[in-house]
Protein backbone atom coordinates (compact mmCIF):
# COMPACT_ATOMS: atom_id res chain seq x y z
CA UNK A 1 0.00 0.00 0.00
CA UNK A 2 1.48 3.37 -0.94
CA UNK A 3 1.23 6.46 1.25
CA UNK A 4 -1.17 9.19 0.12
CA UNK A 5 -0.95 12.79 1.38
CA UNK A 6 -4.25 14.65 1.92
CA UNK A 7 -4.32 18.12 3.51
CA UNK A 8 -1.96 17.31 6.36
CA UNK A 9 -3.37 13.88 7.13
CA UNK A 10 -1.22 10.94 6.20
CA UNK A 11 -2.67 7.54 5.37
CA UNK A 12 -0.23 4.84 6.44
CA UNK A 13 0.00 1.13 5.81
CA UNK A 14 -0.94 -1.51 8.40
CA UNK A 15 2.76 -2.38 8.76
CA UNK A 16 3.48 1.18 9.92
CA UNK A 17 0.67 1.04 12.47
CA UNK A 18 1.89 -2.26 13.98
CA UNK A 19 5.21 -0.62 14.88
CA UNK A 20 3.62 2.26 16.80
CA UNK A 21 3.78 2.26 20.58
CA UNK A 22 0.57 3.21 22.40
CA UNK A 23 0.50 6.48 24.33
CA UNK A 24 0.49 5.64 28.04
CA UNK A 25 0.20 7.64 31.22
CA UNK A 26 0.06 4.65 33.58
CA UNK A 27 2.32 1.61 33.88
CA UNK A 28 0.77 -1.85 33.89
CA UNK A 29 0.80 -1.82 37.72
CA UNK A 30 -1.17 1.47 37.75
CA UNK A 31 1.71 3.69 38.79
CA UNK A 32 2.13 6.97 36.87
CA UNK A 33 4.72 7.08 34.10
CA UNK A 34 4.91 10.89 34.35
CA UNK A 35 3.62 13.63 36.58
CA UNK A 36 0.19 14.93 35.56
CA UNK A 37 0.19 18.33 33.90
CA UNK A 38 -3.24 19.10 35.34
CA UNK A 39 -3.34 21.18 38.54
CA UNK A 40 -4.05 19.13 41.66
CA UNK A 41 -7.04 21.28 42.66
CA UNK A 42 -8.66 20.71 39.27
CA UNK A 43 -8.09 16.95 39.57
CA UNK A 44 -9.76 17.04 42.99
CA UNK A 45 -12.73 18.89 41.47
CA UNK A 46 -13.02 16.29 38.70
CA UNK A 47 -12.94 13.51 41.28
CA UNK A 48 -15.58 15.22 43.42
CA UNK A 49 -17.80 15.63 40.35
CA UNK A 50 -17.40 11.92 39.52
CA UNK A 51 -18.23 10.89 43.10
CA UNK A 52 -21.33 13.09 43.08
CA UNK A 53 -22.44 11.61 39.74
CA UNK A 54 -21.93 8.06 41.08
CA UNK A 55 -23.84 8.77 44.31
CA UNK A 56 -26.72 10.32 42.39
CA UNK A 57 -26.81 7.30 40.09
CA UNK A 58 -26.76 4.84 43.01
CA UNK A 59 -29.61 6.67 44.75
CA UNK A 60 -31.67 6.96 41.58
CA UNK A 61 -31.24 3.23 40.85
CA UNK A 62 -32.37 2.47 44.41
CA UNK A 63 -35.37 4.81 44.11
CA UNK A 64 -36.30 3.20 40.80
CA UNK A 65 -36.04 -0.32 42.23
CA UNK A 66 -38.50 0.54 45.02
CA UNK A 67 -40.74 2.42 42.56
CA UNK A 68 -40.28 5.84 44.15
CA UNK A 69 -39.36 7.08 40.67
CA UNK A 70 -40.11 5.57 37.28
CA UNK A 71 -37.77 3.71 34.99
CA UNK A 72 -34.28 5.14 35.35
CA UNK A 73 -31.40 4.78 32.89
CA UNK A 74 -28.24 4.32 34.99
CA UNK A 75 -24.83 5.62 33.96
CA UNK A 76 -22.57 3.68 36.33
CA UNK A 77 -19.05 3.43 34.94
CA UNK A 78 -19.50 6.45 32.66
CA UNK A 79 -18.77 9.14 35.25
CA UNK A 80 -15.27 10.03 34.03
CA UNK A 81 -16.43 10.42 30.45
CA UNK A 82 -19.42 12.54 31.41
CA UNK A 83 -17.51 14.81 33.81
CA UNK A 84 -14.54 15.10 31.46
CA UNK A 85 -16.70 16.18 28.53
CA UNK A 86 -18.47 18.87 30.51
CA UNK A 87 -15.33 20.21 32.23
CA UNK A 88 -13.65 20.56 28.82
CA UNK A 89 -16.39 22.86 27.50
CA UNK A 90 -15.75 26.57 27.05
CA UNK A 91 -18.39 29.09 28.22
CA UNK A 92 -19.61 29.54 24.62
CA UNK A 93 -20.05 25.77 24.03
CA UNK A 94 -23.29 23.82 24.14
CA UNK A 95 -23.97 20.31 25.45
CA UNK A 96 -26.65 18.04 23.98
CA UNK A 97 -27.01 15.01 26.26
CA UNK A 98 -28.45 11.55 25.80
CA UNK A 99 -30.80 10.05 28.37
CA UNK A 100 -28.00 8.43 30.42
CA UNK A 101 -26.08 11.68 30.90
CA UNK A 102 -27.36 12.56 34.36
CA UNK A 103 -23.80 12.92 35.69
CA UNK A 104 -22.88 15.31 32.88
CA UNK A 105 -26.05 17.32 33.40
CA UNK A 106 -25.36 17.63 37.14
CA UNK A 107 -21.80 18.72 36.39
CA UNK A 108 -23.17 21.35 33.98
CA UNK A 109 -25.29 22.71 36.84
CA UNK A 110 -28.64 20.98 36.38
CA UNK A 111 -30.28 20.65 39.82
CA UNK A 112 -30.41 17.04 40.99
CA UNK A 113 -33.92 17.65 42.31
CA UNK A 114 -35.04 18.53 38.79
CA UNK A 115 -33.64 15.29 37.36
CA UNK A 116 -35.35 13.28 40.09
CA UNK A 117 -38.62 15.12 39.31
CA UNK A 118 -38.26 14.08 35.68
CA UNK A 119 -37.47 10.44 36.43
CA UNK A 120 -40.38 10.53 38.88
CA UNK A 121 -42.74 11.35 36.02
CA UNK A 122 -42.84 15.17 35.95
CA UNK A 123 -41.74 16.42 32.54
CA UNK A 124 -41.01 19.86 34.01
CA UNK A 125 -38.04 18.27 35.72
CA UNK A 126 -36.18 18.57 32.42
CA UNK A 127 -36.61 22.33 32.29
CA UNK A 128 -33.01 23.46 31.80
CA UNK A 129 -32.11 26.64 33.71
CA UNK A 130 -31.54 29.56 31.34
CA UNK A 131 -27.92 30.03 32.39
CA UNK A 132 -26.96 26.55 31.14
CA UNK A 133 -26.01 26.04 27.50
CA UNK A 134 -27.58 22.62 27.38
CA UNK A 135 -30.61 21.04 25.76
CA UNK A 136 -32.84 18.61 27.65
CA UNK A 137 -32.34 14.99 26.70
CA UNK A 138 -34.83 12.94 24.74
CA UNK A 139 -35.60 9.32 25.49
CA UNK A 140 -35.83 8.05 21.87
CA UNK A 141 -32.37 6.73 21.06
CA UNK A 142 -30.23 8.96 18.84
CA UNK A 143 -32.77 11.72 18.26
CA UNK A 144 -30.56 14.35 19.89
CA UNK A 145 -27.98 14.23 17.09
CA UNK A 146 -29.90 16.21 14.43
CA UNK A 147 -30.74 18.78 17.14
CA UNK A 148 -27.03 19.12 17.92
CA UNK A 149 -26.21 19.49 14.22
CA UNK A 150 -28.81 22.25 13.90
CA UNK A 151 -27.51 23.96 17.01
CA UNK A 152 -23.97 23.79 15.62
CA UNK A 153 -25.22 25.36 12.39
CA UNK A 154 -26.78 28.17 14.42
CA UNK A 155 -23.48 28.64 16.27
CA UNK A 156 -21.67 28.84 12.94
CA UNK A 157 -24.14 31.28 11.36
CA UNK A 158 -24.15 33.42 14.50
CA UNK A 159 -20.35 33.38 14.57
CA UNK A 160 -20.38 32.68 18.30
CA UNK A 161 -17.17 30.66 18.15
CA UNK A 162 -18.76 28.00 20.32
CA UNK A 163 -18.74 24.27 19.78
CA UNK A 164 -21.55 21.78 20.29
CA UNK A 165 -20.91 18.45 21.98
CA UNK A 166 -23.47 15.66 21.64
CA UNK A 167 -23.34 12.24 23.24
CA UNK A 168 -24.80 9.00 21.95
CA UNK A 169 -24.62 5.38 23.02
CA UNK A 170 -23.68 2.49 20.77
CA UNK A 171 -27.35 1.76 20.06
CA UNK A 172 -27.80 5.24 18.62
CA UNK A 173 -25.19 4.68 15.91
CA UNK A 174 -27.54 2.32 14.07
CA UNK A 175 -30.36 4.87 13.90
CA UNK A 176 -31.12 7.12 10.95
CA UNK A 177 -30.86 10.21 13.19
CA UNK A 178 -27.18 9.44 13.80
CA UNK A 179 -26.36 9.23 10.09
CA UNK A 180 -28.57 12.18 9.18
CA UNK A 181 -26.96 14.38 11.86
CA UNK A 182 -23.45 13.43 10.77
CA UNK A 183 -24.33 13.97 7.12
CA UNK A 184 -25.79 17.40 7.89
CA UNK A 185 -22.69 18.36 9.88
CA UNK A 186 -20.41 17.06 7.12
CA UNK A 187 -22.21 18.87 4.32
CA UNK A 188 -22.95 22.16 6.07
CA UNK A 189 -20.17 22.20 8.73
Amino acid sequence: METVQTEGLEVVSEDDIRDLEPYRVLAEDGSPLREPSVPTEFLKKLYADMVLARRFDERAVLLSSVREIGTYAPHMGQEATQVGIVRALAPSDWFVPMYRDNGAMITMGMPMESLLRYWGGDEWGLHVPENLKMLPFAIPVGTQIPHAAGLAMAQKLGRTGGAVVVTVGDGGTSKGDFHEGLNFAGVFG
Side-chain angles (χ1 to χ4, degrees):
M1 173 181 204
E2 76 180 59
T3 302
V4 179
Q5 191 73 26
T6 58
E7 295 184 35
L9 297 176
E10 187 176 340
V11 179
V12 296
S13 71
E14 286 185 31
D15 293 332
D16 294 333
I17 293 172
R18 276 191 219 108
D19 297 335
L20 293 176
E21 286 293 319
Y23 175 77
R24 296 177 188 217
V25 294
L26 296 176
E28 288 187 23
D29 66 358
S31 62
L33 293 172
R34 63 186 59 81
E35 288 299 314
S37 59
V38 180
T40 302
E41 288 307 310
F42 186 66
L43 290 174
K44 288 179 181 178
K45 177 65 179 148
L46 293 173
Y47 183 71
D49 290 341
M50 289 187 286
V51 170
L52 180 61
R54 171 68 61 96
R55 295 295 293 145
F56 177 86
D57 194 54
E58 290 170 345
R59 290 294 180 170
V61 168
L62 178 64
L63 290 170
S64 180
S65 68
V66 296
R67 296 293 175 220
E68 291 293 322
I69 62 173
T71 301
Y72 172 75
H75 64 261
M76 183 180 230
Q78 300 175 16
E79 298 89 355
T81 305
Q82 293 188 17
V83 169
I85 288 170
V86 169
R87 290 294 177 209
L89 296 176
S92 59
D93 298 342
W94 280 80
F95 179 58
V96 183
M98 69 171 178
Y99 62 93
R100 290 189 190 274
D101 282 338
N102 294 286
M105 293 176 79
I106 292 166
T107 304
M108 281 284 292
M110 185 77 170
M112 291 183 277
E113 298 82 8
S114 295
L115 290 170
L116 287 174
R117 277 181 65 187
Y118 173 76
W119 290 111
D122 183 354
E123 67 186 45
W124 285 102
L126 273 187
H127 174 77
V128 178
E130 287 187 30
N131 64 318
L132 301 182
K133 290 194 172 188
M134 176 174 64
L135 297 183
F137 60 76
I139 295 297
V141 175
T143 58
Q144 71 278 18
I145 299 164
H147 297 153
L151 184 54
M153 178 71 131
Q155 292 275 82
K156 182 178 179 180
L157 292 173
R159 294 189 171 105
T160 65
V164 177
V165 174
V166 62
T167 56
V168 63
D170 56 347
T173 61
S174 63
K175 301 292 184 180
D177 297 275
F178 175 80
H179 299 282
E180 292 155 11
L182 291 184
N183 189 43
F184 186 89
V187 170
F188 298 107

